C-alpha cells in the first residue's frame, strides 16, 4: 500500500519537472513526464484544496470563538489562541478571497459554538456574533492572551497550576 503523502510528493515533483521541461521547450521530455504523472491523484488533490480553504475561516474562527466564549481561562489557552490566530491569518494570506465570505463563516461558527457550549457550560452569550470581522475577533483573542500573560506574570496560583481562572464579570466564580 502506498502512502498518500508520498504519492503526492512524487506527483508534485513530476509536475515541477513537467513545468521545467515545458519552459525549456523539450516536448519529448514533456510527453514522457506527462505519461508518468498520476493525473487522478493530482485532480483529487486540486479538488480538495478549495474545500479546505473555503472552510478555513470557519474552522479556525470556531476554535477562537470557542475559547472566547468560555467564562474562564486555562494556562494553555494563550498558546491555543495564538496558534489559531496564526493559522487563520496564514489561510487568509494564502487566499485573500476568504475575506469575502468571512462574516458568514464567523456567524456560522459562532452559532455552532453557542449550541455546543450551552449543553456543557454556563455561558452568557448574545444571540448574534459579537465579533463581526476577523480583525475584531483577533483583537478579542489578543486581549484574552494578554490577560493570560498578566495572570502568569502576577503569579496567579490557579492559572500557573493549570486550574480554571474565571473572569471577574462571570457568574461562574469559584
Amino acid at each position: 500500500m502506498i502512502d498518500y503523502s508520498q504519492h503526492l510528493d512524487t506527483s508534485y515533483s513530476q509536475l515541477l519537472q513537467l513545468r521545467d521541461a515545458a519552459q525549456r521547450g523539450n516536448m519529448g521530455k514533456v510527453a514522457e513526464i506527462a505519461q508518468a504523472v498520476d493525473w487522478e491523484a493530482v485532480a483529487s488533490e486540486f479538488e480538495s484544496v478549495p474545500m479546505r480553504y473555503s472552510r478555513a475561516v470557519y474552522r479556525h474562527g470556531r476554535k477562537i470563538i470557542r475559547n472566547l466564549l468560555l467564562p474562564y481561562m486555562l494556562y494553555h489557552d494563550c498558546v491555543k489562541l495564538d496558534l489559531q490566530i496564526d493559522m487563520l491569518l496564514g489561510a487568509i494570506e494564502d487566499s485573500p478571497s476568504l475575506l469575502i465570505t468571512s462574516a458568514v463563516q464567523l456567524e456560522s461558527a459562532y452559532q455552532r459554538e453557542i449550541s455546543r457550549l450551552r449543553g456543557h457550560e454556563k455561558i452568557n452569550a448574545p444571540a448574534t456574533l459579537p465579533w463581526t470581522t476577523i480583525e475584531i475577533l483577533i483583537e478579542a483573542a489578543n486581549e484574552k492572551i494578554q490577560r493570560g500573560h498578566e495572570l502568569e506574570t502576577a503569579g496567579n496560583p490557579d492559572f500557573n497550576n493549570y486550574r480554571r481562572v474565571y473572569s471577574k464579570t462571570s457568574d461562574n466564580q469559584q
Side-chain angles (χ1 to χ4, degrees):
M1 184 168 169
I2 190 162
D3 180 351
Y4 186 67
S5 64
Q6 269 184 329
H7 190 67
L8 285 176
D9 287 343
T10 301
S11 294
Y12 181 69
S13 174
Q14 289 171 324
L15 290 173
L16 291 176
Q17 292 171 24
L18 185 67
R19 182 188 66 192
D20 292 342
Q23 287 174 343
R24 287 191 311 265
N26 187 344
M27 291 306 133
K29 190 70 172 170
V30 167
E32 178 187 328
I33 296 169
Q35 285 185 324
V37 172
D38 182 347
W39 292 106
E40 187 176 330
V42 172
S44 176
E45 183 63 15
F46 277 118
E47 287 173 359
S48 70
V49 168
M51 182 55 91
R52 281 185 300 211
Y53 267 91
S54 70
R55 301 293 286 170
V57 171
Y58 175 84
R59 280 193 322 272
H60 302 302
R62 185 173 158 202
K63 290 176 183 178
I64 293 169
I65 288 168
R66 176 182 306 152
N67 199 307
L68 293 175
L69 286 174
L70 294 175
Y72 57 82
M73 286 189 69
L74 294 167
Y75 184 82
H76 63 275
D77 283 345
C78 296
V79 174
K80 288 168 57 175
L81 278 172
D82 204 28
L83 176 65
Q84 290 305 319
I85 289 169
D86 285 347
M87 293 176 79
L88 178 58
L89 292 175
I92 291 168
E93 183 178 316
D94 289 345
S95 186
S97 63
L98 292 175
L99 291 173
I100 296 168
T101 60
S102 64
V104 172
Q105 294 292 329
L106 290 176
E107 181 65 39
S108 178
Y110 181 71
Q111 293 305 322
R112 172 71 176 104
E113 281 309 305
I114 286 179
S115 65
R116 189 187 77 76
L117 288 173
R118 283 209 171 120
H120 303 293
E121 301 284 341
K122 282 183 98 178
I123 62 167
N124 294 324
T128 58
L129 175 70
W131 311 286
T132 53
T133 67
I134 289 173
E135 293 80 14
I136 294 170
L137 180 69
I138 290 172
E139 183 180 317
N142 281 327
E143 287 172 7
K144 189 167 185 177
I145 290 169
Q146 181 60 38
R147 285 193 311 272
H149 291 312
E150 289 168 1
L151 288 169
E152 182 178 19
T153 302
N156 184 297
D158 288 333
F159 189 75
N160 291 336
N161 289 312
Y162 303 97
R163 290 190 293 261
R164 293 178 178 184
V165 175
Y166 287 87
S167 66
K168 290 180 176 33
T169 59
S170 171
D171 295 332
N172 298 323
Q173 296 225 341
Q174 291 180 325

